[in-house]
Amino acid sequence: MKRSRIYVTKAIPENGLELLRRSFGRIDLNPTQKTLPRKELLAAVRGREGILSCLTDSIDEEVLRAAGPGLRAVSNYAVGTDNIDVAAATERGVAVTNTPGVLTLATAEMAWSLLLAAARRVAEGDRITRSGKFAGWGPTLYLGRAVTGKTLGVIGAGRIGTAFARLSKGFRMEVLYRARRPNRALERELGARRTSLPEILKRSDFLSLHVDLNPSTRGMIGRKEFSLMKPSAVLVNTSRGPVIDEKELVRALKSRKIFAAGLDVYEREPRLAPGLASLDNAVLAPHAGSATTEARAAMAELAAENLILALSGRRPKTCVNPEVL
Ligand code: GLV
Ligand code: GLV
């Protein structure tokens, strides 16, 4: 059978596949949710004009070369593009697109789920209750940390960080944020104050990371940063695992240098740092920030549209290297 013009590295929701079939006819895809082994990925992309990739695929120079000179676009089914060598793609004139906007609220909601679960020990309580160890109510049992009126630190104030901060309104928090540029909407709507990372670490009761992964954010939260945080602090990460030094996080949680953490992403996904899984003060989600039916369908539509537009010589909706267009 003739190879299709595009290759889809994991089965995205049906609405996206349907759009792709309408434009390209039959399409070749990995029909599972499992990441293709490297050798299979290299073979699968050969001769394609477009690749619809996932954040679990490393789209580097070798993959771009394996696809060949006919490759015109890589449409990533994610907002983050740290899995793609964008510079190498740009060099080859290959457009790289992502799915911003449509997963913003889903991810902000996951950050709040983790924050509340970590503050009130929801996952630990669930384990205690279902294992039969719940022996009845007690005045000093299962104490967590109050959220309302506390100080919230938002690190990275792009779309997701802004949406996350806005959702704090009902909790009447003092909001501190760190960002390259002032975020006037947050300052106006929440009285948020832009400040330095050390000040946010020292003052926040709850901290949530919303930066993208790049050389300046890799390892941004490590031993020194944990030493500045309050022993009552709760750290939430729905961005990218390598932003936190996970070994240092385990140390900080184990020694109660901080109160708890709520994590959706890991340094070496899907592996966890030794000791992390046995800590009761870590709430661990399986990289599911954008995993709502609504957001994943919207991502499928946008990722499909971007690929269709790019291969028909039109401007994709959300391109991260528009200089190639
Ligand atoms: C998910 O992690 C994404 O970048 O979309
Ligand atoms: C990051 O991409 C964001 O939307 O905040």
Side-chain angles (χ1 to χ4, degrees):
M1 207 179 323
K2 192 167 172 304
R3 287 162 80 80
S4 62
R5 291 173 67 193
I6 64 161
Y7 187 77
V8 179
T9 69
K10 282 185 187 182
I12 61 168
E14 192 50 39
N15 64 307
L17 295 177
E18 197 42 50
L19 284 174
L20 293 171
R21 288 192 198 101
R22 225 181 288 154
S23 282
F24 302 114
R26 190 191 56 82
I27 52 175
D28 294 330
L29 81 164
N30 164 16
T32 77
Q33 301 291 300
K34 287 213 181 78
T35 305
L36 286 177
R38 182 78 181 169
K39 259 176 58 194
E40 288 177 35
L41 175 67
L42 290 169
V45 299
R46 190 168 42 80
R48 312 287 182 178
E49 289 170 57
I51 302 170
L52 195 144
S53 57
C54 292
L55 60 92
T56 40
D57 305 308
S58 172
I59 307 293
D60 56 12
E61 175 69 39
E62 188 185 22
V63 172
L64 298 170
R65 199 170 343 107
L71 183 68
R72 290 161 66 196
V74 175
S75 169
N76 211 36
Y77 185 73
V79 65
T81 50
D82 51 281
N83 60 307
I84 300 176
D85 186 339
V86 177
T90 304
E91 182 97 358
R92 291 171 171 268
V94 173
V96 176
T97 66
N98 65 342
T99 61
V102 294
L103 46 58
T104 299
L105 276 169
T107 310
E109 288 171 358
M110 176 60 97
W112 274 100
S113 304
L114 291 169
L115 187 157
L116 292 167
R120 300 302 301 274
R121 303 168 59 176
V122 173
E124 178 192 0
D126 176 272
R127 286 189 295 274
I128 289 168
T129 306
R130 72 176 66 235
S131 70
K133 291 190 193 126
F134 171 47
W137 186 91
T140 60
L141 293 180
Y142 313 124
L143 304 185
R145 312 291 317 183
V147 175
T148 302
K150 296 295 181 69
T151 298
L152 182 65
V154 182
I155 298 173
R159 287 173 292 261
I160 300 170
T162 300
F164 169 81
R166 281 194 173 119
L167 290 175
S168 75
K169 263 186 204 165
F171 291 107
R172 302 192 301 277
M173 301 172 93
E174 177 187 3
V175 179
L176 303 176
Y177 74 98
R178 177 180 187 271
R180 284 183 298 258
R181 285 179 295 278
N183 184 322
R184 300 295 178 211
L186 283 190
E187 295 182 5
R188 198 174 50 240
E189 291 170 34
L190 301 171
R193 194 161 62 74
R194 178 168 169 247
T195 184
S196 68
L197 183 60
E199 191 189 350
I200 294 188
L201 295 167
K202 280 184 211 151
R203 297 214 26 228
S204 297
D205 299 296
F206 298 91
L207 290 112
S208 191
L209 306 178
H210 299 284
V211 292
D212 57 359
L213 178 62
N214 62 49
S216 76
T217 59
R218 186 175 286 274
M220 171 188 214
I221 306 294
R223 183 184 293 222
K224 179 167 126 254
E225 288 69 30
F226 287 116
S227 76
L228 296 177
M229 290 167 67
K230 296 182 180 180
S232 58
V234 171
L235 176 65
V236 172
N237 189 13
T238 54
S239 64
R240 283 293 181 266
V243 174
I244 298 179
D245 180 334
E246 209 167 288
K247 208 167 93 237
E248 290 299 330
L249 172 65
V250 169
R251 196 195 297 260
L253 288 169
K254 202 176 256 174
S255 62
R256 305 282 158 166
K257 208 168 232 348
I258 65 172
F259 181 73
L263 307 175
D264 187 43
V265 289
Y266 305 90
E267 206 174 337
R268 275 175 285 275
E269 260 172 60
R271 283 159 53 210
L272 306 180
L276 183 59
S278 53
L279 292 171
D280 269 329
N281 54 348
V283 179
L284 308 177
H287 199 150
S290 67
T292 64
T293 306
E294 294 87 344
R296 289 287 167 87
M299 289 164 66
E301 180 174 328
L302 180 54
E305 283 178 341
N306 277 332
L307 198 53
I308 292 163
L309 288 167
L311 295 201
S312 62
R314 284 172 291 162
R315 226 182 157 74
K317 291 187 164 168
T318 49
C319 186
V320 302
N321 59 349
E323 62 270 33
V324 306
L325 300 175

